Amino acid sequence: MIPRILVVSGSTGGSPAAQVAAVAATELAVLGADVTRVSAEDHPLPLLGADPAADALLPESARRLADLIGAHDGVLFVTAELNASLPALTKNLVDWTGMVRAANGANPWLGKVTAIAALSERPQGVAGAAAHLRAVLHHLGAETAGEDTVIDLAGKGPGEDGRLPEAAATSLRALCRALDLAAKPARA
């Protein structure tokens, strides 16, 4: 069975995370996966916790995103780090989709196979971002495939040709392979 993989960039359009998400989506497609790519900006969400009255009303974009997550066998997060943790867009996206279960009883994350590619100009900081995201996903019932992949941007994103440095490309390829393999039995 062909696995359906959702590639989520926790950043905006032209960011290095979005560029790496495009590379990962291509790699997963080469492996034979049915790939859908989204970014946090594709599903605008208010900041959770900023307005308790608004938090009680689940945004339609959170429902749509949760439906997308539920329709896929695996989810690959490509995220940057901010102060050795998750950027607000990534955390807010995961938090809102985790709220969907409270609204309708479904938990799109339960048993979902996930993988994390974290980008940073400071490799010591990115380990914290990946660990925090993994902890949140596990709390929501998701599983993790492969080792978190750290992509050291060394002050820049992928090259003008869209390619990653060889070490980063090899790590990302291995992560995509692990996710592809782990997601296949999910529909079998």
Side-chain angles (χ1 to χ4, degrees):
M1 187 134 265
I2 297 172
R4 296 191 65 209
I5 307 290
L6 182 64
V7 177
V8 179
S9 169
S11 300
T12 56
S15 71
Q19 293 170 340
V20 172
V23 172
T26 299
E27 184 64 37
L28 286 161
V30 166
L31 292 169
D34 179 3
V35 181
T36 304
R37 201 171 110 218
V38 298
S39 74
E41 71 182 348
D42 295 334
H43 298 273
L45 294 163
L47 184 60
L48 186 62
D51 179 359
D55 290 353
L57 306 171
L58 194 63
E60 185 56 35
S61 55
R63 284 190 181 93
R64 283 193 311 270
L65 189 54
D67 287 345
L68 261 177
I69 292 163
H72 287 78
D73 304 308
V75 178
L76 171 62
F77 277 94
V78 181
T79 186
E81 66 86 23
L82 186 59
N83 295 322
S85 189
L86 298 174
L89 280 175
T90 303
K91 180 72 165 74
N92 200 50
L93 181 149
V94 174
D95 287 344
W96 272 115
T97 56
M99 297 288 289
V100 171
R101 70 174 163 191
N104 68 5
N107 176 357
W109 295 109
L110 187 61
K112 189 66 56 188
V113 178
T114 63
I116 301 167
L119 292 70
S120 180
E121 295 178 18
R122 303 168 301 185
Q124 68 278 13
V126 80
H132 292 162
L133 180 54
R134 187 179 341 96
V136 171
L137 291 169
H138 285 182
H139 174 76
L140 292 171
E143 303 168 12
T144 306
E147 296 291 320
D148 299 338
T149 296
V150 173
I151 298 176
D152 182 359
L153 295 179
K156 60 184 189 299
E160 288 184 21
D161 60 359
R163 303 180 98 184
L164 293 170
E166 191 52 41
T170 299
S171 294
L172 185 61
R173 200 171 300 118
L175 181 68
C176 288
R177 219 174 287 116
L179 179 59
D180 181 64
L181 287 171
K184 281 182 179 173
R187 289 224 189 231

